[in-house]
């Protein structure tokens, strides 16, 4: 895992398998079904790192040979919150990995000046003391990432319990996010070069939502 001296809370999960899969996702000819499957697989690999510090508890069990003490996850079930609609492509994979996680949804679309307009918030009722993974494949301007986290903070979630997970980030978006939410860790598969004038990540992979759902 790589870090970047400009962004103290950014973790770049640059495992060779992730880099290989992401390269195929970036190619413009990759069809939607392959794109979706690779996003799911990369989400497993990101999820592996993001959940590295989950607490464990020891319990006694019986194997076919003897009794032994062994570890299970402890504490409350975590919550996965995809930012609609592209975040769904990542939450599916994370849910495969953690089938008993709770799911929330935050819907935002790009309004004027690329500012996010919220149109849906549906969250599990009891968020207290749960780890929350907010997921959106593209951390571009950072505006919707900031706004999604604001929704959770307004509901009393503590910054220490939130992690933001993206596939590809632009430095501009990470900068904006870390200025507004300096205590929240951000995990990405790649930190790309820059944003273009239409707020697309370069080199990026185009519109993630369109590529996941085969729209446009
Ligand atoms: N959203 C996308 O889907 N792609 C980008 O490059 C930027 C934002």
């Amino acid at each position: 895992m790589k870090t970047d001296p400009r962004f103290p809370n950014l973790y770049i999960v640059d495992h060779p398998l992730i880099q290989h899969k992401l390269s195929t996702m970036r190619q413009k000819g990759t069809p939607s079904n392959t794109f979706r499957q690779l996003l799911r697989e990369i989400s497993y690999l990101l999820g592996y790192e993001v959940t590295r510090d989950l607490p464990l508890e020891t319990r006694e069990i019986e194997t076919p040979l003897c009794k032994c003490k062994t570890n299970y996850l402890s504490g409350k079930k975590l919550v996965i919150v995809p930012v609609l609609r592209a975040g769904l492509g990542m939450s599916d994979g994370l849910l495969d990995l953690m089938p008993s996680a709770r799911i929330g949804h935050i819907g935002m679309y790009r309004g004027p000046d690329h500012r996010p307009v919220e149109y849906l918030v549906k969250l599990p009722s009891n968020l207290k003391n749960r780890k929350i993974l907010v997921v959106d494949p593209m951390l571009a301007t950072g505006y919707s990432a900031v706004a999604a986290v604001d929704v959770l903070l307004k509901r009393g979630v503590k910054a220490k319990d939130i992690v933001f997970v993206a596939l590809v980030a632009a430095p501009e978006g990470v900068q904006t996010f870390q200025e507004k939410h300096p205590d929240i860790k951000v995990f990405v598969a790649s930190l790309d070069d820059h944003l273009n004038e239409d707020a697309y990540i370069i080199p990026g992979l185009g519109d993630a939502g369109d590529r996941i759902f085969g729209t446009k």
Side-chain angles (χ1 to χ4, degrees):
M1 195 150 59
K2 259 192 341 201
T3 53
D4 184 302
R6 294 170 292 172
F7 307 120
N9 263 335
L10 178 68
Y11 299 89
I12 305 164
V13 188
D14 63 342
H15 189 286
L17 287 172
I18 291 186
Q19 293 192 46
H20 180 89
K21 291 173 194 293
L22 178 56
S23 297
T24 304
M25 291 182 74
R26 289 185 191 277
Q27 286 196 44
K28 65 179 182 188
T30 298
S32 275
N33 59 349
T34 309
F35 189 93
R36 263 198 309 273
Q37 177 60 24
L38 291 170
L39 182 56
R40 196 178 196 113
E41 291 168 12
I42 292 177
S43 301
Y44 297 161
L45 297 163
L46 287 171
Y48 176 81
E49 287 298 346
V50 172
T51 54
R52 201 172 259 291
D53 61 354
L54 287 183
L56 292 169
E57 66 187 28
T58 304
R59 289 189 221 155
E60 189 171 85
I61 60 151
E62 216 172 329
T63 75
L65 297 176
C66 65
K67 288 188 173 173
C68 72
K69 291 206 160 72
T70 189
N71 288 331
Y72 283 93
L73 292 172
S74 77
K76 291 185 161 183
K77 305 271 183 293
L78 58 70
V79 183
I80 302 165
V81 179
V83 179
L84 303 183
R85 77 188 151 133
L88 292 171
M90 294 182 81
S91 58
D92 287 350
L94 291 167
L95 200 56
D96 284 348
L97 206 58
M98 298 168 281
S100 49
R102 304 292 186 252
I103 300 284
H105 294 97
I106 297 180
M108 306 217 179
Y109 65 86
R110 271 189 185 193
D113 293 334
H114 312 296
R115 295 285 164 179
V117 181
E118 182 185 304
Y119 65 88
L120 176 92
V121 176
K122 273 275 177 201
L123 296 167
S125 52
N126 182 3
L127 294 173
K128 204 162 170 233
N129 295 329
R130 293 185 192 271
K131 188 176 180 103
I132 304 188
L133 312 183
V134 182
V135 301
D136 190 349
M138 308 306 273
L139 177 52
T141 59
Y143 300 153
S144 53
V146 167
V149 167
D150 283 342
V151 167
L152 298 172
L153 295 176
K154 272 193 209 123
R155 295 193 180 211
V157 177
K158 302 268 186 301
K160 70 168 179 51
D161 292 329
I162 303 173
V163 179
F164 193 86
V165 190
L167 179 68
V168 177
E172 295 89 332
V174 180
Q175 177 79 35
T176 298
F177 187 82
Q178 294 216 330
E179 275 166 17
K180 294 279 196 281
H181 298 304
D183 300 328
I184 296 180
K185 289 183 180 170
V186 177
F187 286 78
V188 299
S190 172
L191 180 63
D192 274 17
D193 200 59
H194 66 280
L195 277 188
N196 73 8
E197 57 285 0
D198 296 320
Y200 276 88
I201 299 176
I202 304 297
L205 44 74
D207 186 301
D210 283 342
R211 297 203 60 191
I212 292 166
F213 296 108
T215 43
K216 241 190 210 160

